Amino acid sequence: MDKKQPIFKTAESYQKERMFVIKKEIDKAETISIFIHVNPDGDCIGSGLALCRQLVKMGKTSFVYCDDEIPDKFNYLPYLDYIKKTSEHQGKADLAISVDIASLDRMGGGISPYMSAKKQIMIDHHVSRGKFADIALIDAHAAACGEIIFKFVQYLRGLDDEIAAMLFTAIITDTGCFQFSNTTNETLSIVQELRKFKLDPQEIIYNAFSSIGMNVFNLKQRVLNKVKFYDNNTIGIITYRKEDFEATGTNQMHTEGIISSVRNIMGIKVAVSICETENLSWKISFRGVGDIDVSAMAAVFGGGGHKGASGCRISGYYEDVLERILKVVRDYM
Ligand SMILES: [Mn+2]
């Protein structure tokens, strides 16, 4: 007998048990509000919409709440009008479900409608996370939250063409189109299942992943020109200042993916981006190559994430922030 088998059995039975409990809560509820994270990415948008569509098909009144703009590139997704601002949230929901949210502060304006619901559920795949729900369905081995939602919708026998496109979007986003080390055999077998539905993978990859606007190109050109390299070109740091956004007509949302241009340079072990949000306030993203665990680096500053991709916020003067980050990266490398 394979010694590893009981461990997998346990993980699987944990998930089945949680899905059973969550389905029971869904059956009891009429209104179910779904919350995704600030600066929404393809994983939380695709996962949130897929869950929403499934709940609506089950006869529930359900919407996805997010105050930040949904990037234009996701315009091909069906059901987008089910995404609402938190100010549009009415009354107390019977059930609130957070998707792809590792800590409450990532919920933005959704915190109060989430908390005011009669019951809270969290569905997430982050390694480091808080607990802010009555019921949690967590799989830290899932490359994307979309994988967990896939299993749940499959459990509910609800997979269809639209949900497949949403979940395919979720999975390609968080795996960098299967480039990142979080991609597992299970990721690929889920994608294989999704491809049995009517969807155009190339079209989705082009829209969600490859195509960029001219403004984003201009931003990219500007910031890549100023990338700083350290320690024999093993660390690359990219900085977005307010003036970079102003000059190119872009904002924080448009930075997504640019860090890969640094991460992908041969010899780079850690890529970091430092993005100015307000005066003296910075949003930091880390990307690691190979065995390097960048979630530990973000954790030093109170952030979190995954082994290969993590983030945090730091305040202070740029030079000090840069110094502090460099020290932590070097300590953990
Ligand atoms: Mn995710």
Side-chain angles (χ1 to χ4, degrees):
M1 268 264 285
D2 185 355
K3 270 185 178 167
K4 278 179 180 166
Q5 211 179 1
I7 301 167
F8 289 123
K9 273 245 168 84
T10 310
E12 202 178 292
S13 57
Y14 156 85
Q15 288 192 358
K16 281 274 150 64
E17 180 259 330
R18 288 304 160 104
M19 290 197 267
F20 176 79
V21 173
I22 293 172
K23 181 182 181 295
K24 256 174 63 182
E25 292 300 331
I26 290 171
D27 286 339
K28 278 192 279 178
E30 269 176 36
T31 54
I32 305 176
S33 300
I34 298 166
F35 298 88
I36 59 177
H37 58 74
V38 294
N39 298 318
D41 59 13
D43 186 27
C44 74
I45 296 168
S47 297
L49 285 178
L51 180 60
C52 181
R53 177 168 162 81
Q54 174 58 28
L55 296 177
V56 171
K57 288 202 300 190
M58 293 166 79
K60 310 298 170 182
T61 301
S62 181
F63 295 101
V64 177
Y65 292 93
C66 181
D67 285 339
D68 290 342
E69 217 179 304
I70 303 301
D72 291 342
K73 60 184 176 181
F74 296 119
N75 280 350
Y76 64 89
L77 283 173
Y79 251 57
L80 278 180
D81 50 337
Y82 277 78
I83 303 181
K84 305 273 183 208
K85 301 273 182 255
T86 59
S87 58
E88 294 173 82
H89 195 278
Q90 287 172 356
K92 293 183 180 185
D94 295 328
L95 199 58
I97 306 180
S98 75
V99 171
D100 199 32
I101 296 182
S103 60
L104 255 191
D105 57 302
R106 298 274 291 147
M107 206 181 279
I111 294 178
S112 96
Y114 175 82
M115 281 309 192
S116 72
K118 288 176 197 150
K119 213 156 217 172
Q120 286 80 20
I121 292 175
M122 67 184 286
I123 301 179
D124 188 35
H125 71 126
H126 290 87
V127 184
S128 40
R129 62 191 171 264
K131 186 164 187 322
F132 43 87
D134 301 301
I135 305 163
L137 171 57
I138 307 293
D139 181 1
H141 298 288
C145 212
E147 289 188 18
I148 310 173
I149 301 292
F150 170 85
K151 288 185 193 165
F152 186 52
V153 176
Q154 190 180 49
Y155 174 80
L156 299 172
R157 299 176 193 282
L159 293 170
D160 62 22
D161 294 344
E162 284 76 16
I163 289 177
M166 294 160 177
L167 295 178
F168 186 76
T169 301
I171 293 171
I172 59 163
T173 301
D174 268 23
T175 59
C177 231
F178 317 116
Q179 294 178 77
F180 304 150
S181 59
N182 59 358
T183 308
T184 63
N185 286 344
E186 183 153 49
T187 311
L188 298 176
S189 70
I190 289 173
V191 168
Q192 192 178 11
E193 288 304 310
L194 294 177
R195 289 196 61 163
K196 291 178 182 164
F197 292 90
K198 196 170 153 272
L199 84 166
D200 188 338
Q202 277 66 46
E203 176 84 1
I204 293 177
I205 291 170
Y206 175 74
N207 282 313
F209 202 78
S210 309
S211 76
I212 56 168
M214 192 47 102
N215 57 345
V216 176
F217 174 81
N218 289 334
L219 175 71
K220 205 170 166 175
Q221 192 179 38
R222 224 180 127 99
V223 294
L224 289 184
N225 244 323
K226 300 183 289 187
V227 172
K228 298 185 178 90
F229 294 98
Y230 301 89
D231 299 11
N232 229 346
N233 297 339
T234 54
I235 305 169
I237 298 188
I238 183 168
T239 304
Y240 303 91
R241 303 299 298 241
K242 264 189 180 159
E243 57 260 32
D244 296 316
F245 295 126
E246 280 161 13
T248 53
T250 52
N251 57 49
Q252 252 190 76
M253 190 180 92
H254 297 107
T255 61
E256 206 198 303
I258 297 181
I259 194 171
S260 299
S261 304
V262 178
R263 183 202 173 273
N264 291 347
I265 300 168
M266 271 188 236
I268 284 284
K269 296 260 185 290
V270 177
V272 184
S273 84
I274 305 178
C275 175
E276 187 169 17
T277 54
E278 293 152 57
N279 278 339
L280 304 181
S281 184
W282 310 85
K283 181 179 173 277
I284 317 296
S285 301
F286 298 89
R287 294 292 182 276
V289 176
D291 273 346
I292 289 178
D293 179 4
V294 292
S295 73
M297 299 176 191
V300 173
F301 301 104
H306 309 282
K307 183 172 166 254
S310 65
C312 62
R313 284 173 191 277
I314 308 182
S315 346
Y317 289 103
Y318 175 73
E319 288 69 21
D320 298 334
V321 170
L322 179 66
E323 197 87 339
R324 287 167 67 192
I325 291 171
L326 261 179
K327 188 183 178 306
V328 168
V329 171
R330 284 170 174 149
D331 282 353
Y332 280 84
M333 260 171 73

